[in-house]
Amino acid sequence: MSIAEVSESSDLIDFLVNKGNGVKGLCQMGLEIVPQKFIQPHEERLDFTQIMSSESIPIIDFSNFNDPKVAESICDAAEKWGFFQIVNHGIPIEVLENVIEAGHKFFELSVEERRKYLKENSPTPTVQLKTSFSPLAEKVLEWKDYLFHIYDCDDDESSKLWPAVSKDQVLEYMKWAKPIIVKLLEVLLEKLNVKKIDESMKSVVMGTLIVNLIHYPMCPSPELTAGAGRHADVSSITMLLQDDVGGLYVREPKGDGWIHVPPVEGALVINIGDVLQIMSNDRYKSVEHRVIVNASRNRVSVPIFVNPAPDAVFGPLTQVLQNGEKPLYKHVVYSDYFNYFFSKGHEGKQTIEFAKL
């Protein structure tokens, strides 16, 4: 099949999604022109005049995380920026490098090998190969493929079936990352007067851990496309490991500008998701962000989405409302919120309207 034939919209979806080629498969055909289905409308392309080069999100030293000043810095960043980076968190640099390398190695496999992990072929529902964001629902496709994992440290049987080329590196990274996630949630919730994360609260704030190996292939016209369009996450928090290529931009706290989040060796990028914005009744901010792709380098990033359990019900915490503050949101079942998010393309901060009173 020629590039011209594949670029036709219906054939393109079949090629990318059903046949499992993804954007990587498109690039392997020697693509020189971006297919129309990937071209963002002008208003959705990053306007480089809106980049706030003098602004940067906070970088927090996590080495002494029991220090009240560290907790204060984390909560302040969550309230003002919605994003921050942590350094000296204790995860060995080789664990971070290995999981990034695993992302490259999986997407270097042949399409026949990658295709084994399509939803209909995968040996377990806890690992799936996906492309774009929600390719059957969105008007414009995003320039990325990713390997999606649902992580459960007690489910060895399922993770044994993950791809051999990346399984051990992902599991090792998650083993180190989970205690940091717990500590961050403890700090953020304590500021909201939640003194202890019991089992029911655990189900709400971290009932599901999703870890993705995202691969953004080199793009012949990166200025026309998006690796990820404007969106806010539907997690409690997200922990992102990015490689050294860069491309993540977050909305400035006040205004329409965008702030680049430069890769910092060994750092993890943390952002507040909609779940914590809702639970905090808008004290914490779930902020719009986006990813641009690169003309000369493939980019890999590894986000961990710390989500509620699908059947968990969440809304403004009683501890936040106890002094008579009016709730801004209703209580919703997380699976309804999650499914609404994926029922359309990325639309900035629109998803949170689903829970507004």
Side-chain angles (χ1 to χ4, degrees):
M1 191 179 271
S2 71
I3 292 176
E5 287 172 313
V6 166
S7 293
E8 290 300 314
S9 190
S10 58
D11 289 335
L12 184 63
I13 293 293
D14 185 55
F15 178 85
L16 295 168
V17 181
N18 305 332
K19 294 196 169 73
N21 290 285
V23 181
K24 169 80 183 193
L26 208 54
C27 296
Q28 286 174 317
M29 296 177 78
L31 191 76
E32 291 179 8
I33 297 171
V34 172
Q36 186 63 39
K37 187 75 174 162
F38 285 96
I39 296 178
Q40 295 286 332
H42 283 280
E43 64 275 13
E44 289 301 332
R45 298 176 200 171
L46 181 60
D47 179 351
F48 285 89
T49 65
Q50 288 189 308
I51 293 173
M52 316 298 290
S53 53
S54 59
E55 295 265 30
S56 59
I57 66 169
I59 297 177
I60 298 171
D61 186 337
F62 206 64
S63 56
N64 189 10
F65 59 70
N66 290 318
D67 183 337
K69 286 181 181 165
V70 175
E72 195 179 322
S73 299
I74 288 167
C75 296
D76 285 352
E79 289 179 20
K80 182 186 175 188
W81 298 90
F83 267 83
F84 53 95
Q85 300 204 63
I86 59 171
V87 293
N88 301 324
H89 41 66
I91 303 181
I93 194 76
E94 60 269 21
V95 172
L96 304 179
E97 289 171 347
N98 288 347
V99 76
I100 290 284
E101 182 62 20
H104 284 288
K105 282 188 171 164
F106 177 81
F107 285 98
E108 284 163 7
L109 293 174
S110 68
V111 68
E112 290 73 27
E113 283 299 309
R114 298 198 305 271
R115 197 178 282 145
K116 290 177 182 175
Y117 298 96
L118 286 174
K119 184 177 181 178
E120 59 272 23
N121 301 339
S122 183
T124 166
T126 65
V127 66
Q128 289 176 28
L129 173 63
K130 297 173 179 277
T131 192
S132 189
F133 167 65
S134 194
L136 302 182
E138 60 202 340
K139 293 186 181 75
V140 182
L141 297 172
E142 296 182 351
W143 195 265
K144 65 162 176 263
D145 306 314
Y146 61 101
L147 191 65
F148 157 99
H149 311 74
I150 301 172
Y151 173 76
D152 179 349
C153 56
D154 299 321
D155 185 9
D156 289 345
E157 290 309 305
S158 176
S159 59
K160 276 180 190 164
L161 302 170
W162 293 1
V165 75
S166 52
K167 165 180 61 106
D168 292 343
Q169 294 88 334
V170 171
L171 290 171
E172 182 69 8
Y173 176 55
M174 291 303 293
K175 183 184 86 179
W176 285 91
K178 191 174 177 185
I180 298 169
I181 289 164
V182 170
K183 186 64 196 170
L184 286 164
L185 286 169
E186 284 173 349
V187 165
L188 290 161
L189 287 169
E190 189 169 348
K191 186 74 185 284
L192 303 177
N193 297 315
V194 177
K195 300 305 176 196
K196 185 175 184 296
I197 301 181
D198 59 19
E199 283 306 309
S200 64
M201 181 60 73
K202 192 175 174 185
S203 168
V204 174
V205 293
M206 56 178 300
T208 309
L209 297 180
I210 291 170
V211 55
N212 292 340
L213 300 179
I214 308 182
H215 185 261
Y216 303 93
M218 286 182 283
C219 179
S221 303
E223 71 286 353
L224 301 179
T225 61
R230 294 182 304 113
H231 69 286
D233 291 348
V234 293
S235 54
S236 317
I237 61 173
T238 303
M239 176 186 284
L240 175 76
L241 171 64
Q242 50 174 352
D243 65 10
D244 62 347
V245 175
L248 172 64
Y249 289 81
V250 307
R251 182 72 82 181
E252 64 170 330
K254 291 182 173 63
D256 295 326
W258 294 92
I259 300 165
H260 185 226
V261 181
V264 174
E265 189 179 7
L268 296 167
V269 181
I270 313 296
N271 65 280
I272 303 298
D274 285 0
V275 171
L276 264 195
Q277 177 168 334
I278 290 167
M279 291 175 73
S280 70
N281 212 37
D282 275 1
R283 182 175 297 181
Y284 296 146
K285 303 292 187 287
S286 172
V287 172
E288 260 188 319
H289 49 287
R290 67 198 306 168
V291 175
I292 64 166
V293 290
N294 198 285
S296 56
R297 293 182 67 190
N298 299 320
R299 178 177 186 259
V300 166
S301 70
V302 186
I304 302 170
F305 297 103
V306 184
N307 293 348
D311 60 353
V313 176
F314 70 100
L317 289 162
T318 52
Q319 294 92 328
V320 172
L321 303 177
Q322 62 192 10
N323 294 326
E325 192 176 313
K326 291 275 187 288
L328 301 172
Y329 303 94
K330 61 190 176 185
H331 279 71
V332 293
V333 178
Y334 184 65
S335 58
D336 292 343
Y337 195 84
F338 184 86
N339 291 337
Y340 176 66
F341 180 59
F342 278 95
S343 70
K344 54 197 176 23
H346 277 142
E347 294 179 334
K349 283 280 290 177
Q350 288 301 311
T351 305
I352 208 162
E353 298 297 320
F354 181 83
K356 280 256 174 88
L357 281 170

